[in-house]
């Protein structure tokens, strides 16, 4: 039989503390940045200790999450591999201080322009498949780029690829 306090017969005798219940219900509350950091933490199995020292985190992977913006990535200055696939982002951002980034997967988003990568000079692989990109641009500073995947975009002219 249901207990109005949320405790059910046979499922333990201590009801959840209302304060803990509120925290769990609103775990992703707060600013958008806090919400995004919480998503990154949860989906990558990071501990609170990891999130207090983000300079030690080198790999982040998110797939099918409602991230909407990658602006919090600036906190992960030593990141080497970043995967944000189908996370509802439309702008490449937050990478200004990520000079150690070597591999970037941003497939299946709504990105319209290749931008925000000028300081990612160690980038070797860039995957931007299934976005809304129309022009190949802003890759001149990526001297170490070996792999560039742009399939399933809206690119009509490939003449700018020679400058890469």
């Amino acid at each position: 039989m249901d207990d109005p306090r949320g405790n059910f017969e046979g499922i333990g005798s201590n009801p959840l503390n209302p304060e803990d219940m509120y925290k769990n219900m609103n775990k992703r509350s707060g600013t958008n940045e806090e919400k995004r950091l919480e998503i990154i933490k949860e989906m990558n199995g990071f501990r609170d200790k990891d999130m207090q020292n983000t300079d030690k985190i080198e790999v982040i992977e998110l797939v099918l999450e409602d991230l909407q913006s990658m602006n919090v990535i600036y906190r992960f200055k030593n990141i080497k591999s970043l995967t944000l696939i189908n996370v509802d982002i439309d702008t490449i951002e937050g990478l200004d201080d990520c000079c150690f980034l070597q591999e970037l997967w941003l497939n299946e988003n709504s990105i319209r322009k290749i931008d925000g990568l000028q300081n990612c000079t160690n980038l070797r692989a860039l995957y931007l498949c299934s976005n809304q990109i129309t022009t190949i641009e802003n890759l001149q500073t990526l001297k170490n780029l070996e792999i560039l995947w742009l399939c399933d975009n809206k690119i009509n002219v490939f003449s700018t690829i020679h400058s890469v």
Side-chain angles (χ1 to χ4, degrees):
M1 175 168 259
D2 289 349
D3 183 322
R5 295 173 296 163
N7 190 22
F8 300 94
E9 283 185 275
I11 305 182
S13 56
N14 296 339
L16 186 61
N17 177 332
E19 185 176 310
D20 290 340
M21 194 162 80
Y22 178 78
K23 284 180 188 174
N24 287 338
M25 285 172 37
N26 294 299
K27 203 170 197 178
R28 292 186 178 170
S29 66
T31 67
N32 286 338
E33 187 168 315
E34 289 170 343
K35 290 176 189 176
R36 290 181 184 110
L37 287 170
E38 187 64 29
I39 291 170
I40 289 170
K41 176 186 166 196
E42 286 178 13
M43 302 315 295
N44 285 275
F46 297 142
R47 299 167 297 174
D48 288 337
K49 182 180 176 182
D50 299 324
M51 297 305 286
Q52 291 169 0
N53 192 3
T54 56
D55 286 346
K56 292 189 177 189
I57 295 175
E58 295 183 350
V59 176
I60 293 176
E61 295 179 352
L62 288 178
V63 177
L64 293 170
E65 287 297 320
D66 190 21
L67 195 64
Q68 296 180 345
S69 174
M70 56 188 288
N71 64 350
V72 297
I73 301 301
Y74 76 92
R75 291 180 176 239
F76 304 89
K77 294 184 183 354
N78 293 319
I79 192 160
K80 292 182 180 177
S81 178
L82 177 61
T83 301
L84 301 174
I85 297 176
N86 201 348
V87 294
D88 199 28
I89 57 175
D90 59 14
T91 305
I92 301 171
E93 60 185 338
L95 300 176
D96 293 340
D97 295 326
C98 299
C99 59
F100 298 105
L101 188 63
Q102 296 174 9
E103 190 174 274
L104 181 59
W105 295 76
L106 298 175
N107 298 339
E108 298 178 36
N109 285 293
S110 300
I111 297 167
R112 296 185 182 280
K113 184 176 182 178
I114 302 171
D115 203 10
L117 300 171
Q118 58 275 9
N119 294 335
C120 299
T121 54
N122 286 307
L123 197 63
R124 292 187 206 161
L126 178 58
Y127 302 91
L128 293 167
C129 300
S130 302
N131 279 285
Q132 304 296 316
I133 297 167
T134 57
T135 306
I136 301 170
E137 60 187 337
N138 301 319
L139 299 174
Q140 302 84 337
T141 61
L142 306 180
K143 302 296 182 197
N144 293 310
L145 193 63
E146 298 170 0
I147 299 169
L148 176 62
W149 280 16
L150 293 166
C151 61
D152 197 22
N153 275 285
K154 299 178 186 257
I155 300 166
N156 292 322
V157 178
F158 288 89
S159 61
T160 56
I161 196 77
H162 298 293
S163 64
V164 179

